[in-house]
Amino acid sequence: MNDINIEIERLNQQMAQHPETADQCCNRIGELLGAQGQYGKALAYFHRAIQMNPMETAYHYNLGLALHNLGEEQDALKCYNQALMIRPTISAYNNRACLYNNMKQYAEAVEDCTAALNMAKKAKDDSSKTLIYATRAEAYMGMEEYGKAHTDLMAGMKLDPDEELIGFYDKAIIKCNIKLGKSCKEIYS
């Protein structure tokens, strides 16, 4: 039995012994299954968690993530919307923006990223800004607003030049520079 299965078994035992924590246990089991790519199995646990505690933002958010990963965009959108209605979070805004990008609803993606960046600024949370700038840059590129995309890409790179998104940033910056009319010599110098 691997570590995740042991953890799931422990959580099932905890639910039986402490039913007042059942919603948290269901959510955690769903997260563990999701981390293994078992999104279909995770759905049942997130639904159970929501049935027990419908006002917990994380449960709706996690259900949205699982649905998003299964390609069920409209249902994922409903979950992200519900999570944001209960309590807006940086992650929920950014993930809904990613979903909007997938759906080619770029203006909505920009709006969500801007809201997430404003929340991150108020919270003095620079750790999530790199990803948010990348998400918003993707939306700007979809809108063919390459100057704005380039600005966001450079801001994200400045925050964390060693971020794992570096490949995305490099390719996107080159694309923006080309669209902005820069030559290869200018780009690579």
Side-chain angles (χ1 to χ4, degrees), residues 150 154 173-174 176-189:
H150 188 271
M154 298 310 290
I173 288 169
I174 290 168
C176 287
N177 280 323
I178 290 169
K179 293 290 186 174
L180 291 169
K182 294 189 177 178
S183 69
C184 289
K185 184 178 179 181
E186 289 174 296
I187 293 170
Y188 291 106
S189 60

Side-chain angles (χ1 to χ4, degrees), residues 21-38:
T21 66
D23 61 320
Q24 297 164 22
C25 293
C26 284
N27 183 62
R28 182 66 185 136
I29 292 170
E31 290 174 336
L32 291 167
L33 292 169
Q36 290 184 311
Q38 297 181 47

Side-chain angles (χ1 to χ4, degrees), residues 71-142:
E72 297 180 29
E73 293 176 336
Q74 291 302 320
D75 289 335
L77 183 60
K78 289 175 188 173
C79 292
Y80 291 147
N81 289 342
Q82 185 64 35
L84 287 163
M85 282 177 39
I86 295 169
R87 185 177 51 84
T89 65
I90 294 168
S91 301
Y93 273 123
N94 190 65
N95 279 22
R96 188 171 72 174
C98 289
L99 184 60
Y100 280 140
N101 278 339
N102 292 348
M103 299 167 74
K104 299 185 183 340
Q105 293 179 257
Y106 302 118
E108 290 86 347
V110 167
E111 190 175 304
D112 276 2
C113 288
T114 302
L117 285 168
N118 288 337
M119 287 182 78
K121 188 182 292 184
K122 284 180 186 172
K124 296 184 175 143
D125 173 12
D126 286 345
S127 63
S128 55
K129 286 182 183 177
T130 305
L131 182 58
I132 299 166
Y133 277 124
T135 304
R136 191 167 72 176
E138 186 178 343
Y140 281 138
M141 286 189 287

